[in-house]
Amino acid sequence: MQRHFDKDIEELKDLLLRMGAMVEDSIMQSIRSLLERDTALAQEVISNDDRIDQMELEIDRRTLELIAKMQPTAVDLRFVATVMKVTPELERIADLAQDVCERVIELNREPPLKAMVAIPRLAQDAQGMVRAALDALVRRDVSLARSVITQDDSVDQQTEQSFRELLTYLLEDPRNISRAIRLTFIGKYFERMADGATNICEMVVYLVEGKMIKHAYGTAHNR
Amino acid sequence: MLIVLGVLLLVGTITWLFMRRLRSLEAELEDSERRRQFLASRLEVLERHRATDMQMLNGLGEGVLAVGRDQRIAIANRRFAELFGVSEAVVGKPLSEVVRVSQIFEAFDGALAGQESIERFSVRSGVVERKIEMRALPLPSEEIAAVALFIDVTKIERLEQIRRNFISDFSHEVRTPLAGIRSAVETFESGAGRLSADDDQQLRRIMARQLRRLERLVDDLSELSRIEAGDLSLNLRSVDLRRIIDELCEDFADQAAQHRVRFVVRGDRAVVRADSVRIQQAFSNLFDNAIKHGGDEKEVAVEIIDEPDAGVVRVTDQGEGIARSEREKVFRRFYRIDKSRSQDVPGSGLGLAIAKHLILQHQGSIDVESEPGKGATFIVRLPKSSSIPAGHDEAST
């Protein structure tokens, strides 16, 4: 009985990590489509989102089945709870990557705005946080998870900074307005991906230590 | 008496039986000991084979990863661990815990279903992004059900890119003079016998000029490829950089006068070990560049500095300067900072590349400093003694 249970848990973990890989691909491609103005790639990301949604449904189904059949307790219960919290977080991050791509397609219909200011850096930081969050989950690495959580502040600051810079473009020339606004959106999407990574990391701490640090960890580290 | 005899017989029989059993047990023990030794030695051989196999795998330039039917890692070599930034102790772990790349999952899913595949994707470990080609194939075993090779193709892809760029740059450079010649020839053909003497003269001049341009392009290119191939023997002597520069200023007097450019030379003797012809060629390309890009009626300052172990020459123009992002690129073949100006400024676009390679051949260095809008300074540093093989040193001072 126990062995069968372990196998189910392992398969669930495998599915979750595969979903993580797909989400990381989407982020990477969304950044590339933005930097290289590649509309075709942006469209590919958008059409791939269906597969990620399917994956989410599959993981949900398996999780519920596992709870119903095995009635997990203690560590196993914490693991199942983590999967149930992390899956929608990943799905949301993938949706944000899709949103980035939609804005990219719109941006590519106009000539490029002179500089994208702080956005490439912001995008890379957010991507790095999502990757580190998944690494922390695989390795059950609490210290890595906590370091990702502290990075969130710097991403928030970068978003604010890129917003201010884009604001000057807006004020400078009315022809910049639509593009600057779209880029502001894009900045916000990446910031929210970083938020998603932070939420995943909070679940890693819960998984390993059994502690919920979500709202008690100090106001500075929460949204 | 009979009873005693009977008991003795019984004891004797029992003892005999017991001894026989003991002996057969001993024989069995010996046998199994022999078998144990045989198995142990076989195991040792297998272990040794495995260790050599693993050593061989670790020596490979390609990453190797094999998984069992349960998608757990069976074999991972050192190169694989390097490429993906994971520790080598991954054997036994599920694949998805070791790498998180969709293409790898899909390729192994395929291989476990009996399909071979080749894919290219990029992975990032730390700050390095690598392009990887993965070849996956199925194997007929439970423990090792699929194996994949990972080849780092980053460099190959970059070379392919360079080759493509070179071809497109080259054809661009060739097209302009060709177009000039073609239109001149067409004018000749369509206006045969009806052209005025002036027009005729002008068309001939255009053709001659464009032909010269083509010639120079081809000459520069073959020169550059010769230097790059290291197919160049240096005739090393003690050379005074001041004298080289003074001579060059005389050679450039006409060209400088045309553009009303003034050369200002400062500094004393600085004697280095160099091939005077090659060094002259390098500086002549720098002078040419300074006149073309410095702007008319400006000054080109040349400073010679005698350092303890090197002679340094700084060539400063008063042109538009070079942005930080362009500084590395000016030494590339066919590179032009402002593509739209390529028609105004004549030249093959190879001068600086040639200068750089000539100076590198002397084990010297060339750098550029610039403040955009205020001109650029090219700094050449040539060592006073070099470790260039003696075979190249044909003459003495």
Side-chain angles (χ1 to χ4, degrees), chain B residues 165-178 334:
Chain B
N165 287 352
F166 176 79
I167 291 174
S168 88
D169 288 344
F170 180 74
S171 46
H172 173 82
E173 293 292 332
V174 169
R175 198 171 295 132
T176 321
L178 273 183
F334 299 124

Side-chain angles (χ1 to χ4, degrees), chain B residues 249-260:
Chain B
C249 284
E250 280 170 29
D251 294 349
F252 271 88
D254 281 352
Q255 201 183 331
Q258 245 176 44
H259 293 269
R260 294 177 301 282

Side-chain angles (χ1 to χ4, degrees), chain B residues 136-269:
Chain B
L137 52 139
L139 290 177
S141 146
E142 273 299 300
E143 292 78 30
I144 303 178
V147 67
L149 278 182
F150 298 87
I151 302 153
D152 187 350
V153 291
T154 319
K155 215 180 259 173
I156 297 173
E157 287 227 334
R158 207 173 52 228
L159 288 175
E160 280 170 4
Q161 188 61 43
I162 289 174
R163 192 180 56 86
R164 274 196 297 272
N165 287 352
F166 176 79
I167 291 174
S168 88
D169 288 344
F170 180 74
S171 46
H172 173 82
E173 293 292 332
V174 169
R175 198 171 295 132
T176 321
L178 273 183
I181 294 167
R182 185 203 182 116
S183 73
V185 170
E186 278 172 0
T187 317
F188 266 128
E189 277 182 340
S190 62
R194 288 180 281 122
L195 286 173
S196 72
D198 275 0
D199 285 350
D200 190 86
Q201 271 297 315
Q202 203 199 339
L203 287 174
R204 282 171 201 279
R205 266 202 308 277
I206 289 176
M207 289 203 292
R209 195 168 63 231
Q210 301 296 1
L211 277 172
R212 266 203 306 278
R213 196 171 161 179
L214 272 180
E215 247 167 33
R216 194 170 52 211
L217 181 69
V218 173
D219 286 350
D220 280 359
L221 204 59
S222 63
E223 178 77 10
L224 182 62
S225 75
R226 230 152 48 89
I227 302 169
E228 275 184 330
D231 191 13
L232 187 75
S233 67
L234 291 178
N235 186 3
L236 290 181
R237 293 162 185 264
S238 290
V239 175
D240 178 10
L241 289 176
R242 171 78 204 209
R243 219 179 72 203
I244 298 247
I245 298 292
D246 283 342
E247 282 172 14
L248 268 176
C249 284
E250 280 170 29
D251 294 349
F252 271 88
D254 281 352
Q255 201 183 331
Q258 245 176 44
H259 293 269
R260 294 177 301 282
V261 167
R262 218 154 51 86
F263 278 103
V264 180
V265 184
R266 271 198 309 267
D268 300 321
R269 275 167 63 87

Side-chain angles (χ1 to χ4, degrees), chain A residues 10 13-14 18 24-25, chain B residues 72 96-97 100 102 109:
Chain A
E10 194 142 277
K13 192 172 177 181
D14 185 69
R18 281 171 181 247
E24 277 188 61
D25 283 348
Chain B
R72 280 175 184 272
S96 58
E97 281 187 25
R100 211 165 45 244
S102 301
D109 286 347

Side-chain angles (χ1 to χ4, degrees), chain A residues 189-204:
Chain A
Y189 297 147
F190 282 116
E191 190 226 324
R192 280 165 58 194
M193 287 184 206
D195 288 340
T198 308
N199 293 341
I200 293 172
C201 286
E202 286 165 354
M203 287 314 291
V204 173

Side-chain angles (χ1 to χ4, degrees), chain A residues 10 13-15 17-18 20-25 28-29 32 51 124 127 130-132 134-135 138, chain B residues 70-72 94-103 105-106 108-109 122-126 129 131:
Chain A
E10 194 142 277
K13 192 172 177 181
D14 185 69
L15 279 178
L17 291 173
R18 281 171 181 247
M22 289 157 82
V23 173
E24 277 188 61
D25 283 348
M28 190 177 79
Q29 286 166 348
R32 187 171 292 163
R51 289 175 57 210
Q124 259 144 29
Q127 180 187 25
V130 173
R131 175 181 309 131
L134 288 165
D135 283 343
V138 174
Chain B
D70 56 0
Q71 297 237 7
R72 280 175 184 272
L95 177 64
S96 58
E97 281 187 25
V98 176
V99 287
R100 211 165 45 244
V101 181
S102 301
Q103 287 93 337
F105 295 150
E106 281 161 20
F108 273 117
D109 286 347
S122 41
V123 291
R124 188 187 276 266
S125 74
E129 190 174 320
K131 254 282 185 307

